[in-house]
Amino acid sequence: MKRILVIGCSGGGKSTLARALGAKLALPVVHLDVLFWKPGWVESSYDEFRPKVAAAVAEDRWIIDGNFSRTFDLRLPRADTVVWVDQPRRVCLWRAFRRTLTLFGETRADLAPGCPEKIDPAFYRFIWNFKRTHDAMIEEALARDAVHARVFRLRSDAEIAVFLASV
């Protein structure tokens, strides 16, 4: 486990798991949100973002936290392990909303500077629809680009805890 992708719905615990794996395995953690967002929640263009991801995956050792499926073609072929955090929708939505309430106005370490937590109905809709809009695409990408990688699909906090203890 030298190149690990942690993917899944926002609020599911991807960043927390990535940090815990990074500490346990002494691997650097790259949060794609840090590479993508500019201050004030301004999105990077695809042409700006893609080279940053390419540079991150070119390294020999990493944990990359985040979805950004338009870069799966760069990340999946290089990953030796993929951890799909596939928590229930209600868990993801509740955690994202709770995080907003508890950290409102603050910028988390897994976000770019100048991107404070805010109430964002579009983000909550994204979480609500994630399984419907992303699961099949993730399964197809894994089958196409990650046939060489070990894939773990973790569907609960208990499964995450068992996985982390087994590493």
Side-chain angles (χ1 to χ4, degrees):
M1 295 177 77
K2 296 187 334 182
R3 292 181 302 277
I4 304 168
L5 289 184
V6 182
I7 62 173
C9 186
S10 301
K14 291 186 314 294
S15 298
T16 301
L17 177 58
R19 284 190 300 274
L21 283 171
K24 194 164 190 176
L25 299 173
L27 292 171
V29 178
V30 176
H31 300 286
L32 291 182
D33 281 336
V34 172
L35 301 181
F36 180 76
W37 293 103
K38 298 177 186 179
W41 291 103
V42 174
E43 296 181 10
S44 292
S45 72
Y46 185 64
D47 291 337
E48 292 172 304
F49 180 55
R50 193 167 171 85
K52 293 177 185 178
V53 175
V57 300
E59 298 295 323
D60 288 331
R61 305 173 71 238
W62 42 257
I63 297 171
I64 297 180
D65 156 39
N67 286 309
F68 294 93
S69 58
R70 290 179 57 179
T71 64
F72 274 169
D73 66 313
L74 296 173
R75 295 179 290 136
L76 288 172
R78 291 272 300 145
D80 59 38
T81 306
V82 178
V83 182
W84 181 357
V85 178
D86 189 21
Q87 296 268 29
R89 172 171 54 185
R90 70 185 184 289
V91 170
C92 296
L93 192 60
W94 166 245
R95 286 181 178 169
F97 187 69
R98 183 183 64 195
R99 181 175 65 203
T100 298
L101 293 178
T102 58
L103 298 174
F104 187 80
E106 296 178 30
T107 300
R108 300 187 328 261
D110 55 336
L111 285 174
C115 295
E117 281 292 332
K118 62 180 183 167
I119 295 174
D120 185 352
F123 178 57
Y124 304 132
R125 277 191 302 279
F126 171 80
I127 293 171
W128 184 258
N129 293 315
F130 186 86
K131 282 190 166 303
R132 182 178 54 77
T133 59
H134 286 75
D135 276 13
M137 181 271 309
I138 291 171
E139 289 169 353
E140 290 169 14
L142 290 172
R144 181 184 61 243
D145 296 325
V147 293
H148 61 285
R150 289 180 295 171
V151 176
F152 299 89
R153 191 169 182 177
L154 309 176
R155 299 174 190 259
S156 68
D157 288 343
E159 288 184 10
I160 292 169
V162 168
F163 171 76
L164 194 53
S166 74
V167 170

